[in-house]
Amino acid sequence: MTNNWHSTYDVVVVGTGASALSGAITAEYNGMKTLVIEKLDKWGGSSAYSGGGLWIPNNFLMQENGYLDSTEEALQYMEAVIEDVGPASSRVRKEAYLKYAPEMALFLKDLGFQWVQAPFYADYYPLVPGAKNGRCIEGDFFNGKKLGKLRKSLTSIPGMPDVAIHCGDAYLLPLVTQTWKGFKRTIKIFGKTIAWTLTGRQPLAIGKSLVGQLMYILQTKYSTPVWLESPLKEIIMEDGRAVGIVVEKEGTSVKVQAKKGVLLGAGGFAQGGEYRRKYQPIGSDWTSASPGNTGDAIQAGERVGGALAMMEEAWWGGAYILDGKITFSVHERSFPGCMLVDHSGFRYVNESCSYVDFGRAMLDREAEVGGAIPSWLIMDGKYRKKYLFGMLPPGMTPKKYLKDGTIIKAKSIEELAEKCGIHKENLQNTVKRFNSFAYQGIDDDFGRGTSIYDRYYGDPGVFPNNNLAPIQNAPFYAIKFYPGDLGTKGGLLTDEYGRVLREDGSVIKGLYASGNNTASVMGKTYPGAGSTLGPACTFSYIGMNHLAEENNEIK
């Protein structure tokens, strides 16, 4: 077959998040000239929106800092917490991930990527054998001005300034007025931010540090071309092999040859489209994913024979809305003095559990009895005086939120129930029962505060349970909670080398995929902080090394 190629590369990478950029770096390192395409006018994807952590068991920072870990312990843990959902989370895929994830982190370090450890971040199921602290690593602060012209096109969460913060520090910020450690860390964070700004630097942190450092390596070491506003339209096949793509560039569809292979790293379908309507229990109203996550690359892979798996799954969590913006909740629901109820006035979940379990509990409750979407987070006056809520400082609840009904305020639990439309008697009884748990320090219904993960976002000044305090101090507050997500986690089925598979299990030669384009190796759960980005970067690394080896170009 003869194609009129607009341009020719060894590898074409679709997307500009962490999975795509780490794959492009690996390809270039192995001598394969690479093109990166992005459909939006901004690059970075959902990775830039994220906390930027990667779950990497037995990583080099654990070894340097004295944290004992092993591949065997990590595999024991993964096997225990990840449900059997078929080939996406097969043992061989888990083993490949655990073998190459530490190697991938070192590979990037050797190219100049600066990592730091989140030492106190526990695995999300710390009572399960094999669980550890310290498996989450992230990029250190990075000067965005080093990116040159690309700095201006780096995507950003609207209204979110650049602050010199690590994801491993996030648990301390809501305690700024409660603990000396939280106060000192907050002062340090803002001091660092000011110092960087005054010296002409732009402090990229968390997710923006991750993609910023990856893009910097890609540009300074390899000068890799990046086409923005260039959406993928089609994967070109010849004799059962991916040999190129059709991409829309400057309003015209052009064919780009990928002599060795194509890597799909363009994210999932959280922002809507055919897949979300067909497979998901809810729409995209409460997602925190990048606007570009509409499943284009998954659809292109399916059209050339790629099998799909786990399409009903997402990286679930709780979310609330302020100023019309979705906020993915992590700490707000965990601090003492609050609880979550449905419209019937009953609790149904450990409010301090991992976000994927929290979000799934909302969906399950809605499916079983209804009235859980939205649910209500109930807080008392002491909670609001003590803790940061999103970006709302302790003790400050702007009148505009009370006026427009975003936050409900009442003098009593009875009045709060009436204003929210919650069953009054049930809510009163639930508060009474919850308060009894708080006094004794044991949540007999859901076990809140029993694990080190729960307590990570607790208040160490509250006893006997860091996550429990009675809801008894007027005024009382309530805000709606929805089942949000960080992105979808179903998509193209891939093997241990990151190759896209057909329904019969055969390999589509030359076609690789990673990240939220694919069915996750993590199954339906979330073993620890960075369980999205860790496999995303690792399987790109594995895949591009495999492609190079196939073409006898491995270094």
Side-chain angles (χ1 to χ4, degrees), residues 341 343 345 376 378 408-410 412-428 476 478:
V341 298
H343 273 76
W376 293 91
I378 308 296
I408 306 298
K409 180 180 179 181
S412 67
I413 291 296
E414 295 87 346
E415 182 186 359
L416 192 72
E418 290 178 357
K419 287 185 173 182
C420 295
I422 302 171
H423 192 287
K424 186 190 304 184
E425 184 178 350
N426 289 347
L427 183 60
Q428 289 175 303
F476 300 93

Side-chain angles (χ1 to χ4, degrees), residues 205-535:
I206 54 178
K208 290 173 76 173
S209 169
L210 174 62
V211 296
Q213 290 197 65
L214 293 174
M215 182 62 83
Y216 181 71
I217 291 170
L218 203 58
Q219 295 306 309
T220 56
K221 291 189 177 297
Y222 306 112
S223 302
T224 304
V226 178
W227 293 358
L228 300 181
E229 297 182 273
S230 301
L232 170 70
K233 294 300 181 182
E234 182 183 343
I235 298 168
I236 300 172
M237 304 290 292
E238 287 183 6
D239 300 322
R241 183 182 185 90
V243 297
I245 63 167
V246 177
V247 57
E248 185 177 307
K249 182 173 173 58
E250 298 176 351
T252 301
S253 290
V254 298
K255 295 180 179 180
V256 177
Q257 185 178 24
K259 293 191 295 183
K260 295 182 172 61
V262 174
L263 171 63
L264 304 177
F269 55 94
Q271 286 290 358
E274 174 190 344
Y275 287 145
R276 187 111 208 195
R277 290 190 298 271
K278 182 177 180 180
Y279 293 105
Q280 296 276 308
I282 57 174
S284 57
D285 291 345
W286 309 305
T287 185
S288 297
S290 165
N293 284 191
T294 54
D296 303 11
I298 303 174
Q299 288 178 319
E302 185 184 22
R303 285 196 295 268
V304 297
L308 303 182
M310 291 175 53
M311 295 293 283
E312 73 283 0
E313 290 300 325
W315 304 98
W316 301 115
Y320 58 89
I321 301 173
L322 289 177
D323 294 321
K325 300 173 183 176
I326 298 295
T327 298
F328 191 86
S329 174
V330 179
H331 66 266
E332 296 91 347
R333 55 188 169 79
S334 193
F335 283 118
C338 74
M339 67 176 187
L340 189 86
V341 298
D342 60 15
H343 273 76
S344 65
F346 293 120
R347 289 177 73 213
Y348 57 89
V349 67
N350 167 10
E351 293 87 351
S352 300
C353 69
S354 72
Y355 30 90
V356 71
D357 288 345
F358 185 85
R360 183 180 293 282
M362 295 185 76
L363 294 169
D364 290 346
R365 182 73 169 182
E366 178 70 19
E368 291 166 5
V369 300
I373 301 178
S375 292
W376 293 91
L377 188 73
I378 308 296
M379 305 161 276
D380 75 349
K382 190 174 182 179
Y383 173 103
R384 276 304 300 125
K385 286 181 181 179
K386 292 179 69 175
Y387 306 121
L388 186 76
F389 190 94
M391 299 301 291
L392 298 182
M396 294 180 62
T397 306
K399 291 183 179 179
K400 66 176 181 176
Y401 296 136
L402 304 176
K403 186 175 180 179
D404 67 14
T406 298
I407 298 176
I408 306 298
K409 180 180 179 181
K411 297 178 182 178
S412 67
I413 291 296
E414 295 87 346
E415 182 186 359
L416 192 72
E418 290 178 357
K419 287 185 173 182
C420 295
I422 302 171
H423 192 287
K424 186 190 304 184
E425 184 178 350
N426 289 347
L427 183 60
Q428 289 175 303
N429 290 334
T430 299
V431 170
K432 183 178 180 180
R433 181 172 177 81
F434 180 85
N435 289 350
S436 72
F437 297 157
Y439 294 134
Q440 70 180 1
I442 300 173
D443 178 4
D444 287 334
D445 287 343
F446 302 103
R448 180 172 169 183
T450 57
S451 78
I452 190 173
Y453 175 78
D454 287 8
R455 296 191 294 274
Y456 184 77
Y457 286 110
D459 184 343
V462 172
F463 299 98
N465 187 321
N466 298 160
N467 300 101
L468 292 178
I471 298 172
Q472 61 185 10
N473 296 282
F476 300 93
Y477 300 86
I479 187 170
K480 292 177 180 177
F481 260 58
Y482 302 90
D485 65 71
L486 296 171
T488 50
K489 64 187 307 187
L492 295 165
L493 185 61
T494 56
D495 67 5
E496 67 270 27
Y497 300 109
R499 299 179 296 183
V500 177
L501 301 176
R502 299 183 179 88
E503 288 286 351
D504 62 6
S506 62
V507 171
I508 299 178
K509 294 181 180 180
L511 184 60
Y512 293 76
S514 63
N516 288 349
N517 283 285
T518 65
S520 174
V521 70
M522 298 301 179
K524 298 180 179 181
T525 191
Y526 211 123
S531 292
T532 307
L533 291 169

